[in-house]
Amino acid sequence: MNDHKIKNIFVEGAISSQKIAESIQSHSSKKEIGGHSIFLGQVREDVLEAGKVIQIEYTAYVDMALEKMQIIREDVFSKYPLSCMHVYHSLGKVNAGEICLFVFTSSKHRKPAIDACAELVERIKQELPIWGKEILENENSQWKENN
Amino acid sequence: MNDHKIKNIFVEGAISSQKIAESIQSHSSKKEIGGHSIFLGQVREDVLEAGKVIQIEYTAYVDMALEKMQIIREDVFSKYPLSCMHVYHSLGKVNAGEICLFVFTSSKHRKPAIDACAELVERIKQELPIWGKEILENENSQWKENN
Amino acid sequence: MEQALIRLMCFGMLEEITGFKERQLIGKQDTDQFRIWLNDEFPELQKIDFVIAVNRKLINQNTVLKNEDEVALLPPFSGG
Amino acid sequence: MEQALIRLMCFGMLEEITGFKERQLIGKQDTDQFRIWLNDEFPELQKIDFVIAVNRKLINQNTVLKNEDEVALLPPFSGG
């Protein structure tokens, strides 16, 4: 634990393109920024043996995920000269084609923004206690496995 | 040269966050996509010896830039399994804090999208005949140099 | 000696297997004792890949359990 | 022999130095001849870093110039 306030990353349902636009727009006042890197995770309509995925329902161990995200955030801030870092992840139901993960880093130069964003995405996928349950068109479901 | 239609990448003035949102939104129907990677170049309010940068005015050798971009596009498409690739660059005046470059790649999995986007940004900066003239607050100007 | 009362939580597919999301559990001195109880109570968990967190930190060795500790069973993560 | 009429273009700071964006030029058989003419006409260009494109391709060796070729002087790129 540390002295910093724990930031929330979770949003209910899909992340809208409007929210992403607003987040980008809000950085126009930060005039020391030269590059933004963004990663968006989109729910895939995978066709599994058991059927076609139409939705993923996300659950998380929220308290642990936020504590872990705080550690990741501090690691990445100390490794790269970033102006900003924003992370949002969906909870609950997200339809195929909708956005479930939004990672946004900004820096004076492009390289730290790009590298930090890529590293954040990997760590979020590997280290945050979040689970996706794939809802199939035939009303069956199965638990997602990350590769 | 090749058989493909040459795509335009140039837009007059800054690239709006609304345009970026619309571009993201339009991919929600492509349900095989699992990850999008986006790079945004933002005009920095650099403080130079000669004064503070308030705007960059971009010019380009448009025909050559579009031909070169077509080659880069095909190289990157043949190297990474991408669903989509979009590149936009400003011409004319872009104020500090505004977006002048928008690179957007999408793939089934995150890694090709992220790697392709990073490679595109490098190649665009190094290989496209585009020039930025930094307009200073004291009405002087100087030609930008990429690092 | 007072017995530790822990808060036991299950996530993802483990909630479906055990049939509970959260319950209280008493009398387990450490995570090794806890694992023995878990295997007795839910033998089907032996086929499942999962890790244990105590107070929101993953553990990889036997850990003493204190009163009000939060013990969570976590299947492989699949966020993003 | 008919003399090639080429289209000569300057970009970025080179447009400011030469004072033109585009003009026609006649009688240069290849890019080596063209460079000699350029150095005579604009000696200040010798201090400037630039490359030459013929028909929108960068050249790195002497290149024959044909009628209607597009010859461009390009200072270091600074897009993005």
Side-chain angles (χ1 to χ4, degrees):
Chain A
M1 296 300 295
N2 54 66
D3 295 340
H4 296 101
K5 185 164 161 273
I6 296 277
K7 287 178 85 168
N8 187 29
I9 65 168
F10 291 110
V11 296
E12 193 59 35
I15 297 162
S16 71
S17 56
Q18 199 48 46
K19 179 183 175 67
I20 297 163
E22 284 164 14
S23 193
I24 293 166
Q25 186 57 43
S26 72
H27 289 73
S28 64
S29 59
K30 299 201 168 185
K31 297 186 179 174
E32 81 284 6
I33 292 174
H36 305 286
S37 186
I38 293 173
F39 178 82
L40 303 173
Q42 181 166 304
V43 171
R44 267 203 317 271
E45 191 181 65
D46 276 343
V47 179
L48 310 173
E49 273 184 41
K52 190 163 76 175
V53 174
I54 57 166
Q55 190 179 63
I56 293 182
E57 184 172 5
Y58 287 102
T59 52
Y61 185 2
V62 170
D63 290 347
M64 180 176 166
L66 297 183
E67 284 183 23
K68 188 73 196 178
M69 189 64 227
Q70 193 74 0
I71 292 167
I72 295 171
R73 199 183 290 277
E74 287 169 14
D75 285 353
V76 172
F77 260 124
S78 69
K79 188 168 171 184
Y80 301 98
L82 298 180
S83 301
C84 290
M85 179 195 305
H86 303 281
V87 173
Y88 299 98
H89 196 295
S90 295
L91 285 184
K93 292 172 178 173
V94 183
N95 293 324
E98 292 183 324
I99 304 295
C100 59
L101 172 62
F102 173 28
V103 179
F104 186 10
T105 54
S106 309
S107 182
K108 189 172 180 195
H109 298 288
R110 65 187 180 280
K111 195 105 177 62
I114 290 171
D115 292 348
C117 186
E119 187 166 324
L120 278 167
V121 172
E122 291 308 310
R123 292 195 63 178
I124 286 164
K125 293 232 176 203
Q126 284 168 28
E127 300 179 34
L128 295 194
I130 302 173
W131 298 275
K133 186 180 192 172
E134 295 170 318
I135 313 296
L136 309 182
E137 58 183 344
N138 52 21
E139 295 183 8
N140 286 337
S141 67
Q142 70 176 52
W143 291 91
K144 185 170 171 261
E145 289 179 26
N146 274 0
N147 43 29
Chain B
M1 295 301 294
N2 54 67
D3 295 339
H4 296 100
K5 184 163 161 276
I6 296 276
K7 286 179 84 168
N8 186 28
I9 65 167
F10 291 110
V11 297
E12 193 58 33
I15 297 162
S16 70
S17 56
Q18 199 49 46
K19 179 182 175 65
I20 296 163
E22 284 163 13
S23 193
I24 293 166
Q25 185 58 44
S26 72
H27 289 73
S28 63
S29 59
K30 300 202 167 186
K31 297 187 179 174
E32 80 284 6
I33 292 175
H36 305 286
S37 186
I38 293 173
F39 179 82
L40 302 173
Q42 182 166 305
V43 171
R44 266 202 319 271
E45 192 181 66
D46 275 342
V47 179
L48 310 173
E49 273 183 42
K52 190 162 75 176
V53 175
I54 57 167
Q55 190 178 64
I56 293 182
E57 184 172 5
Y58 288 102
T59 52
Y61 186 2
V62 170
D63 290 347
M64 180 176 166
L66 296 183
E67 284 183 22
K68 188 72 196 177
M69 189 63 228
Q70 194 74 359
I71 292 167
I72 295 171
R73 199 184 290 277
E74 287 168 14
D75 285 352
V76 173
F77 260 124
S78 68
K79 187 168 171 185
Y80 301 98
L82 298 180
S83 300
C84 290
M85 180 195 304
H86 303 281
V87 173
Y88 299 97
H89 196 295
S90 295
L91 285 184
K93 293 172 178 173
V94 182
N95 294 322
E98 293 183 324
I99 304 296
C100 59
L101 172 62
F102 173 28
V103 180
F104 186 10
T105 54
S106 309
S107 181
K108 189 173 179 195
H109 298 288
R110 65 188 179 280
K111 195 106 178 58
I114 290 171
D115 292 348
C117 186
E119 187 165 325
L120 279 167
V121 172
E122 291 309 309
R123 293 196 63 177
I124 287 164
K125 293 231 174 202
Q126 285 167 29
E127 301 179 34
L128 294 194
I130 302 173
W131 299 273
K133 186 180 192 174
E134 296 170 318
I135 313 297
L136 309 181
E137 58 182 344
N138 53 21
E139 294 183 8
N140 286 337
S141 67
Q142 70 175 53
W143 290 93
K144 185 170 172 261
E145 289 179 25
N146 274 0
N147 43 29
Chain C
M1 192 184 109
E2 196 185 356
Q3 289 196 307
L5 178 70
I6 63 168
R7 186 176 164 200
L8 175 57
M9 305 165 88
C10 293
F11 289 93
M13 69 168 67
L14 295 179
E15 182 183 342
E16 294 178 354
I17 291 168
T18 63
F20 69 90
K21 174 151 192 62
E22 184 169 337
R23 56 168 282 188
Q24 291 188 311
L25 185 67
I26 200 159
K28 310 295 169 252
Q29 289 194 315
D30 54 37
T31 50
D32 280 355
Q33 270 195 16
F34 167 73
R35 279 181 201 271
I36 291 167
W37 170 83
L38 195 67
N39 282 341
D40 277 355
E41 198 80 4
F42 304 102
E44 59 273 42
L45 285 187
Q46 292 176 52
K47 285 172 278 174
I48 307 291
D49 184 20
F50 69 93
V51 291
I52 294 179
V54 175
N55 297 330
R56 300 167 302 283
K57 298 274 184 294
L58 297 183
I59 61 156
N60 45 29
Q61 57 186 25
N62 188 29
T63 300
V64 171
L65 294 176
K66 305 176 308 300
N67 210 30
E68 297 189 354
D69 273 356
E70 197 172 294
V71 177
L73 310 185
L74 312 177
F77 307 159
S78 55
Chain D
M1 192 183 113
E2 196 185 357
Q3 288 194 309
L5 178 70
I6 63 168
R7 185 176 166 200
L8 175 57
M9 306 165 88
C10 293
F11 290 93
M13 67 168 69
L14 294 178
E15 181 182 343
E16 293 178 356
I17 290 168
T18 64
F20 69 90
K21 175 152 191 60
E22 185 169 338
R23 56 167 281 188
Q24 292 189 309
L25 185 68
I26 200 158
K28 309 296 169 257
Q29 289 194 314
D30 53 37
T31 50
D32 280 354
Q33 271 196 15
F34 167 73
R35 278 181 201 272
I36 290 165
W37 169 83
L38 196 66
N39 283 340
D40 278 353
E41 199 79 3
F42 305 102
E44 59 273 42
L45 284 187
Q46 293 177 52
K47 284 172 280 175
I48 307 291
D49 184 19
F50 69 93
V51 291
I52 295 179
V54 176
N55 296 330
R56 302 167 302 285
K57 299 272 185 294
L58 297 183
I59 60 155
N60 46 29
Q61 56 188 25
N62 188 30
T63 301
V64 171
L65 294 175
K66 306 176 307 299
N67 209 31
E68 298 189 354
D69 274 355
E70 198 171 294
V71 177
L73 309 185
L74 312 177
F77 306 158
S78 56

